[in-house]
Amino acid sequence: NSNSSGDSIVAEGNKRVLSIQSHVVSGYVGNKAAVFPLQLLGYDVDVINSVQFSNHTGYPFGWEGEVLDGSMLGTLVDGMENNGLLSGDGSGGIGNILTGYIGSESFLRVVVSVVNKLKGYNSKCRYVCDPVLGDMGKFYVPEGLVDIYRRDVLPLADVITPNQFEVEQLTGISILSIRDAQRACCVLHDLGVSVVLITSIVFPNNGGSNDCDNASTDLLMPPSNDSIGMFASQRQYRSQRDSNQPLVGEQSKTEYTDEQYILYTPKLAGQFTGTGDVCAALFLGWTADNENDKKNGDSSLAVALEKLAGKLLL
């Protein structure tokens, strides 16, 4: 984006997104699924592709292409930094980071450095992490990424948008009930994540136990066995809810509320790829200006994804 004088034209910081995820030649996953919705919502999106594949990894005869390593990511970000495209000289800096499919451990480690760098330029820069690992019991990426996500990435993330399989891998908790989902979200909050959006979740039963303090005990049964849930959890510390009262000692770390929602939609026949990528992008876009409006964001997401999947069935 430039004008006739060659000066860069960028959106204000809160409307700029750095999106780091996959690229495929054929199909719509990763950046090809996430960038266009963000642009429709008025965001200026800087795109870095973590891999370049012929197609997504679910095809029966595989795929061809290349996986970028950490040094390649570092080189691209250095070039942006050298030209003032990270800081934006104050008003045009990057206000949001979105990461999705990462194909190598070295790349993910450098993502950590990039997030730290951008938060250094802009302390309000929000990091939305879709920790893509796999689905339906199968890994899409090297399993070594799980420990890096858990140890290094999640403590930096403001929002994460995993699916059920990914939550189970990151927490070690098998999700068989709403209580299990609450416990898993509690673990993720304890790692430092403010908002957890489990984008697709199916409960085979409503049993289980709940060892998570402050978790909701109002358990909502799915309306039918043909429903799929979207589960959201937001942790707010007392300092965030009531900034007028002083904090004493460790109160800021121990007094909190986990606000949680679950929303069910009908399961549609068929298998869809890229819906998680669209989900993360839309959630970023719809909540960036109002971080506390997660409930309406969830409802809008569910409607949008159901309509999108319905169109693909036609």
Side-chain angles (χ1 to χ4, degrees), residues 159-160 181-182 185 189 194-201 216 229-235 258-263 283 293-299 301:
V159 180
I160 63 171
Q182 291 176 314
C185 286
H189 287 317
S194 295
V195 177
V196 179
L197 175 65
I198 306 177
T199 57
S200 57
I201 193 166
S216 169
M230 182 178 289
F231 189 91
S233 179
Q234 179 177 17
R235 174 165 293 184
D258 289 347
E259 186 176 1
Q260 297 172 329
Y261 305 93
I262 187 163
L263 188 148
F283 193 72
D293 193 21
K294 302 299 182 298
K295 184 177 181 180
N296 289 334
D298 296 344
S299 300
L301 271 177

Side-chain angles (χ1 to χ4, degrees), residues 118-237:
L118 290 174
K119 285 180 175 284
Y121 278 120
N122 178 5
S123 61
K124 295 182 179 180
C125 183
R126 191 171 67 142
Y127 177 27
V128 177
C129 172
D130 183 6
V132 177
L133 297 172
D135 200 3
M136 305 295 290
K138 179 182 178 182
F139 276 93
Y140 302 153
V141 299
E143 294 186 32
L145 268 62
V146 175
D147 287 337
I148 301 174
Y149 272 114
R150 187 187 299 118
R151 182 184 64 247
D152 300 327
V153 178
L154 297 189
L156 294 175
D158 301 287
V159 180
I160 63 171
T161 61
N163 60 31
Q164 183 170 352
F165 171 78
E166 290 157 352
V167 171
E168 292 175 339
Q169 299 305 312
L170 291 169
T171 64
I173 297 173
S174 297
I175 299 180
L176 304 176
S177 68
I178 293 179
R179 291 188 183 274
D180 293 331
Q182 291 176 314
R183 290 175 54 229
C185 286
C186 195
V187 170
L188 295 168
H189 287 317
D190 287 345
L191 290 174
V193 183
S194 295
V195 177
V196 179
L197 175 65
I198 306 177
T199 57
S200 57
I201 193 166
V202 176
F203 302 114
N205 60 65
N206 203 38
S209 61
N210 185 2
D211 298 324
C212 179
D213 293 338
N214 296 330
S216 169
T217 58
D218 183 17
L219 302 183
L220 301 176
M221 293 288 289
S224 74
N225 292 330
D226 295 324
S227 298
I228 189 167
M230 182 178 289
F231 189 91
S233 179
Q234 179 177 17
R235 174 165 293 184
Q236 286 189 309
Y237 291 93

Side-chain angles (χ1 to χ4, degrees), residues 25-39:
V25 177
S26 178
Y28 292 92
V29 298
N31 274 324
K32 283 184 70 177
V35 173
F36 183 56
L38 285 169
Q39 290 172 328

Side-chain angles (χ1 to χ4, degrees), residues 75-128:
T75 297
L76 292 171
V77 173
D78 287 345
M80 295 178 69
E81 185 173 32
N82 293 340
N83 287 285
L85 297 174
L86 299 184
S87 63
D89 296 326
S91 63
I94 293 172
N96 302 275
I97 310 163
L98 174 63
T99 62
Y101 184 101
I102 305 296
S104 72
E105 295 182 21
S106 67
F107 193 98
L108 186 56
R109 291 191 183 96
V110 176
V111 165
V112 173
S113 299
V114 172
V115 173
N116 279 317
K117 183 187 293 288
L118 290 174
K119 285 180 175 284
Y121 278 120
N122 178 5
S123 61
K124 295 182 179 180
C125 183
R126 191 171 67 142
Y127 177 27
V128 177

Side-chain angles (χ1 to χ4, degrees), residues 273-301:
T273 56
T275 51
D277 305 320
V278 174
C279 183
L282 289 176
F283 193 72
L284 184 160
W286 282 334
T287 61
D289 292 327
N290 185 359
E291 294 191 356
N292 293 319
D293 193 21
K294 302 299 182 298
K295 184 177 181 180
N296 289 334
D298 296 344
S299 300
S300 299
L301 271 177

Side-chain angles (χ1 to χ4, degrees), residues 267-272 306-314:
K267 284 193 291 186
L268 299 178
Q271 190 169 2
F272 307 96
E306 183 179 359
K307 287 185 176 180
L308 177 61
K311 291 289 186 182
L312 293 174
L313 285 174
L314 296 179

